[in-house]
Amino acid sequence: MPLTPPPEPDLEPKMNWASFYAVISGVNRHSTGIGRIWLSVLFIFRILVLVVAAESVWGDERSHFTCNTQQPGCNSVCYDHFFPISHIRLWALQLILVSSPALLVTMHIAHRRHVDKKLYRRSGRGSPKELEQIKTQKMKITGALWWTYLISLLFRVLFESAFLYLFYMIYPGYRMFRLVKCDSYPCPNTVDCFVSRPTEKTVFTVFMLAVSGVCIVLNIAEVVFLVGKATSQHLNNAKDSPVGAWISQKLFSY
């Protein structure tokens, strides 16, 4: 009886999305209500869908991309032409870049806590209980933290929009075609190439990009909320706080 060789282990590194979520969720308790909704949408409808379903859908994209020719290298060249970058890797890069601005807010909060601890120690109130309270307290989005938070939202919108445009340029109409024609060298002539499960891949692509659009709307809504709230506070305190004092408070309050 012939012996079959054992299957080769999967040596491709997998991203630890649980650790990734733990890092970006640290800023969640300091966010607005809209920011918490954005993080929930990011985790449930993007990270979970990417890990649970999308990775398996695109798992056979290279091996099941076939062209009606036996010319060596033709399949690889045509695949590279029509799929210059994997959807999974592009979505992973998008999620990392979209979430990275939250680290700016996290670092700013860590700086504020460090300053608060120094002030407590100088005033003689640096007991372990008080220092632990500083570590766990919720920071208000005011002063320079307001600007950091606002800039992080604008970066999110910028990255999301850039990736939507990138997907459209690489895959016009966000569609996966069943049949594509390729005449790249070393193919002997124009050959027909077939994409595996194009309808399923189109559905996942449209879904992921639609959720990306929802995230853009949430980020813009949060920007409007922060600006509107700050403007309302300024108008309510207009008699006691001139414009210059309000701007100085926004710019220079740590």
Side-chain angles (χ1 to χ4, degrees):
M1 182 177 179
L3 297 177
T4 57
E8 295 184 3
D10 185 8
L11 299 179
E12 182 180 355
K14 301 293 184 180
M15 177 154 181
N16 191 337
W17 290 108
S19 301
F20 173 76
Y21 176 76
V23 171
I24 64 173
S25 62
V27 74
N28 189 39
R29 63 190 303 268
H30 308 285
S31 303
T32 64
I34 301 176
R36 297 188 186 97
I37 295 174
W38 171 83
L39 186 62
S40 299
V41 171
L42 180 78
F43 181 69
I44 298 174
F45 295 104
R46 299 181 76 173
I47 295 179
L48 279 184
V49 170
L50 180 64
V51 173
V52 174
E55 287 186 344
S56 61
V57 171
W58 268 268
D60 62 351
E61 58 178 340
R62 176 63 186 88
S63 59
H64 289 192
F65 181 86
T66 57
C67 300
N68 59 353
T69 180
Q70 297 297 322
Q71 178 69 27
C74 183
N75 274 28
S76 297
V77 170
C78 292
Y79 177 82
D80 182 70
H81 176 74
F82 290 104
F83 299 95
I85 183 171
S86 167
H87 279 66
I88 299 301
R89 293 178 178 87
L90 196 57
W91 278 325
L93 179 62
Q94 179 184 12
L95 289 174
I96 292 171
L97 290 180
V98 166
S99 306
S100 59
L103 299 178
L104 295 175
V105 181
T106 302
M107 290 187 292
H108 195 132
I109 291 173
H111 168 70
R112 285 184 59 167
R113 285 173 173 167
H114 176 70
V115 173
D116 287 342
K117 287 180 180 179
K118 290 179 64 176
L119 294 175
Y120 266 66
R121 290 192 182 100
R122 289 178 181 177
S123 62
R125 296 185 297 166
S127 65
K129 183 178 179 180
E130 291 175 325
L131 295 179
E132 183 64 24
Q133 185 179 2
I134 294 175
K135 184 178 179 180
T136 57
Q137 71 179 353
K138 179 181 177 180
M139 295 290 181
K140 294 183 178 179
I141 306 177
T142 58
L145 181 59
W146 184 89
W147 288 100
T148 303
Y149 197 96
L150 189 68
I151 291 172
S152 71
L153 292 175
L154 296 178
F155 271 114
R156 285 182 199 169
V157 173
L158 177 64
F159 288 141
E160 293 276 26
S161 303
F163 273 94
L164 284 177
Y165 178 74
L166 182 61
F167 265 101
Y168 184 80
M169 293 298 296
I170 298 177
Y171 308 105
Y174 306 125
R175 292 180 57 195
M176 300 295 108
F177 295 98
R178 293 179 173 86
L179 171 68
V180 292
K181 295 184 178 294
C182 177
D183 57 357
S184 300
Y185 179 82
C187 298
N189 46 44
T190 301
V191 297
D192 295 332
C193 299
F194 303 90
V195 181
S196 68
R197 295 187 285 184
T199 303
E200 188 175 13
K201 291 177 180 178
T202 299
V203 170
F204 269 100
T205 301
V206 173
F207 174 81
M208 293 293 284
L209 296 178
V211 176
S212 179
V214 171
C215 289
I216 291 177
V217 173
L218 289 173
N219 289 327
I220 293 176
E222 194 170 9
V223 169
V224 173
F225 171 77
L226 288 174
V227 174
K229 184 178 180 181
T231 304
S232 176
Q233 290 176 350
H234 166 65
L235 293 177
N236 291 335
N237 300 326
K239 295 181 180 180
D240 303 324
S241 178
V243 176
W246 181 78
I247 293 177
S248 298
Q249 191 270 340
K250 286 294 182 187
L251 286 175
F252 303 113
S253 175
Y254 75 96

